Amino acid sequence: MSDDEREEKELDLTSPEVVTKYKGAAEIVNKALQLVVSECKPKAKIVDLCEKGDAFIKEQTGNMYKNVKKKIERGVAFPTCISVNNTVCHFSPLSSDETILEEGDMVKIDMGCHIDGFIAVVAHTHVVQGGPVTGRAADVLAAANTAAEVALRLVRPGRKNSDVTEAIQKVAAAYDCKIVEGVLSHQMKQFVIDGNKVVLSVSNPDTRVDDAEFEENEVYSIDIVTSTGEGKPKLLDEKQTTIYKRAVDKSYNLKMKASRFIFSEISQKFPIMPFTARDLEEKRARLGLVECVNHDLLQPYPVLHEKPGDLVAHIKFTVLLMPNGSDRITSHALQELTPAKTIEDEPEIKTWLALPIKTKKKGGGKKKKGKKGESSQAEPMEGEPNVAES
C-alpha cells in the first residue's frame, strides 16, 4: 500500500497504532485532570487552573514523537474549562480575570488532549470541601455519575443513540434532577472532535438528530450534564465566550485589519481544534473575533448558566468500542457521595448497571491483565457507582 493509499484510508481502531495514540492522549489528559483537581482549593484563581491544565498537556505531548521524520500534530484538543456551581460549561477566562474558587463550590473541569488528531476528552465534577458530599450536591453528582455508567453500558454495537437519550433522562429523574438540554455526545474521528453521529441529551421538538446505531471500532465522547434546576441553560453574557473552533467549510473576506490579523493567526496555530482566546494576541483578539464569529468563520463555545442557586454536575468520558467490548479510557474517581435520593426502587436502572462492559470470550476464564494494547489507565468503575446510598 502506497503512502497516498494509506492517507486515503480512514484510520480507526482496527489499527493498533491508532489505539495506542488514543490511549496515550487519554493517559495525559487523565493526569492533567488529576493535577487540576489537586489544585482546586479555596482562593485558587480559575484562570491559573485553566492555564496549568493546558500547560501540562502541551508539555507532556511536546515530549512525544520528537524524533520522527513526519511531523505529528499533538497537544490540547479542548482548552481547560473550570465552570462553577450554576455555570454549566466553557468557562475559561482571559488572563486578566480575577475569579477565584470558594469553599463548597461545585467545580466542573473539562479538557481534551490529542496525539496525531486522535482525541481523548474528559470532564469531572469536584466539590471544594473535605469529607463526603451530601444533600442536593450529592444528588446531582450521583445523577451525572450513574447516568455516565448507564451510558457506558448502552453505547455499544447494535444499540441506538435514542436508547441512551431515554435512559439518562430516567436516571436523572430518579435523583430528582434534570439532564441539561443542548448537550451533545459525539462520535470522534481523527482530527474530528464533533463527528456526525450524535447522542442527544434531551429529546424535544426543537432539537432533532438523525437516528444512528453504534458500531464496532467507533470512538465516542459521552457528555453528561445534570442540574438541580430546569436544565434549560441560558447565555447571559457573550463577552464570557473565549473558546472557539475554526469552521473549516466557511470563507469570507474580512474587512477589519484586526480580524484579518487574528484569523491568520488562528489558521496557522489552531486550524482544526478548539482553542482559547488566551492563546491569541490578546489586545487585538476581542475586536477581531467578533467579525470572525459574525460571518461564521469561527464556531463559539458559549458560557451557559442555569439560575443562581442551581447546582450543575458534568461528567464526560471517551470510550473506544473495541471488538472485546467498551474501553472507557478517560475518567477520575469521585469524592464520596451521600445522596438523599436512591435508585433502590428503580429496577430498570439497576438492570442497565448490571450489563457487562466487556464482551465475554467463549470458553470462560478471566481475561489476563496487562495484555499488549490494554490500558492500565482509567479502567471503568465496574458495577455500582461510588455512592454511599442512604
Side-chain angles (χ1 to χ4, degrees):
M1 188 189 283
S2 72
D3 282 351
D4 287 345
E5 284 175 311
R6 198 172 285 120
E7 287 293 317
E8 283 301 308
K9 185 179 180 294
E10 192 174 275
L11 290 167
D12 65 14
L13 300 179
T14 53
S15 157
E17 188 186 355
V18 167
V19 175
T20 299
K21 285 173 180 172
Y22 272 118
K23 291 191 173 181
E27 188 172 344
I28 290 170
V29 85
N30 285 329
K31 285 178 179 169
L33 174 57
Q34 198 170 347
L35 170 72
V36 174
V37 170
S38 72
E39 300 274 344
C40 284
K41 295 168 183 160
K43 305 292 177 256
K45 217 155 113 175
I46 287 180
V47 68
D48 291 348
L49 298 175
C50 293
E51 286 177 343
K52 278 180 184 172
D54 289 353
F56 182 87
I57 290 171
K58 287 172 189 170
E59 180 198 354
Q60 295 293 308
T61 53
N63 291 334
M64 303 172 80
Y65 296 101
K66 276 180 169 175
N67 304 317
V68 291
K69 285 179 188 171
K70 187 184 168 195
K71 188 190 173 195
I72 288 186
E73 297 288 337
R74 58 210 190 276
V76 174
F78 198 86
T80 305
C81 299
I82 308 277
S83 308
V84 177
N85 297 332
N86 65 312
T87 305
V88 176
C89 55
H90 304 151
F91 189 74
S92 190
L94 298 176
S95 307
S96 53
D97 190 273
E98 296 292 328
T99 313
I100 59 169
L101 296 183
E102 304 284 2
E103 180 76 25
D105 276 349
M106 178 168 273
V107 181
K108 294 163 286 295
I109 305 157
D110 187 4
M111 61 205 325
C113 171
H114 81 97
I115 294 170
D116 197 18
F118 298 105
I119 301 162
V121 288
V122 69
H124 174 74
T125 302
H126 176 79
V127 181
V128 183
Q129 66 170 67
V133 179
T134 59
R136 291 300 279 153
D139 287 342
V140 76
L141 239 172
N145 186 57
T146 308
E149 291 290 335
V150 167
L152 173 63
R153 288 157 175 80
L154 295 182
V155 177
R156 56 193 311 144
R159 289 271 192 176
K160 290 192 165 60
N161 54 356
S162 54
D163 298 343
V164 180
T165 304
E166 287 166 21
I168 62 175
Q169 287 179 81
K170 285 179 180 171
V171 171
Y175 290 97
D176 196 18
C177 293
K178 290 273 199 314
I179 294 286
V180 171
E181 291 182 9
V183 178
L184 299 175
S185 296
H186 286 275
Q187 183 186 4
M188 298 194 293
K189 298 181 179 182
Q190 188 179 22
F191 290 110
V192 180
I193 199 166
D194 48 5
N196 292 333
K197 273 194 185 180
V198 170
V199 180
L200 206 52
S201 56
V202 177
S203 47
N204 61 36
D206 300 335
T207 10
R208 290 198 56 77
V209 297
D210 293 337
D211 288 337
E213 195 174 284
F214 304 112
E215 295 174 53
E216 198 172 282
N217 296 316
E218 290 180 337
V219 179
Y220 284 88
S221 144
I222 301 301
D223 208 345
I224 309 283
V225 186
T226 50
S227 173
T228 59
E230 293 177 4
K232 297 174 190 272
K234 293 191 167 50
L235 171 66
L236 298 183
D237 183 1
E238 282 183 9
K239 289 194 183 75
Q240 284 190 324
T241 304
T242 61
I243 296 177
Y244 303 88
K245 183 165 79 76
R246 168 96 169 77
V248 287
D249 55 341
K250 296 281 193 296
S251 60
Y252 174 79
N253 288 328
L254 292 160
K255 305 291 184 281
M256 289 165 54
K257 190 177 177 184
S259 308
R260 291 196 298 272
F261 174 87
I262 216 73
F263 191 66
S264 166
E265 187 187 353
I266 291 164
S267 300
Q268 284 167 16
K269 284 188 180 173
F270 312 107
I272 296 169
M273 296 293 178
F275 63 91
T276 163
R278 272 197 314 276
D279 286 345
L280 302 171
E281 298 276 345
E282 199 172 308
K283 284 175 191 162
R284 300 196 195 193
R286 183 59 65 192
L287 200 60
L289 288 169
V290 173
E291 192 185 3
C292 294
V293 170
N294 287 345
H295 294 284
D296 301 326
L297 295 179
L298 296 177
Q299 172 194 328
Y301 287 81
V303 179
L304 301 176
H305 302 264
E306 281 277 69
K307 289 176 181 161
D310 293 344
L311 292 173
V312 179
H314 187 189
I315 290 179
K316 175 161 59 178
F317 62 89
T318 303
V319 61
L320 314 182
L321 303 189
M322 303 294 287
N324 66 340
S326 300
D327 195 351
R328 175 180 179 168
I329 58 172
T330 60
S331 68
H332 191 286
L334 287 175
Q335 293 157 286
E336 190 184 335
L337 308 177
T338 316
K341 307 291 175 185
T342 168
I343 53 166
E344 276 309 304
D345 301 325
E346 302 286 347
E348 192 174 22
I349 296 172
K350 291 169 103 172
T351 303
W352 287 326
L353 287 170
L355 293 170
I357 296 166
K358 297 288 184 192
T359 310
K360 282 186 179 158
K361 289 177 184 164
K362 284 175 185 171
K366 282 199 173 178
K367 186 179 68 178
K368 285 182 185 169
K369 282 196 174 179
K371 272 189 188 172
K372 196 175 180 185
E374 284 174 12
S375 167
S376 58
Q377 280 288 326
E379 279 295 310
M381 293 172 272
E382 294 280 358
E384 285 291 320
N386 178 23
V387 172
E389 297 285 10
S390 56

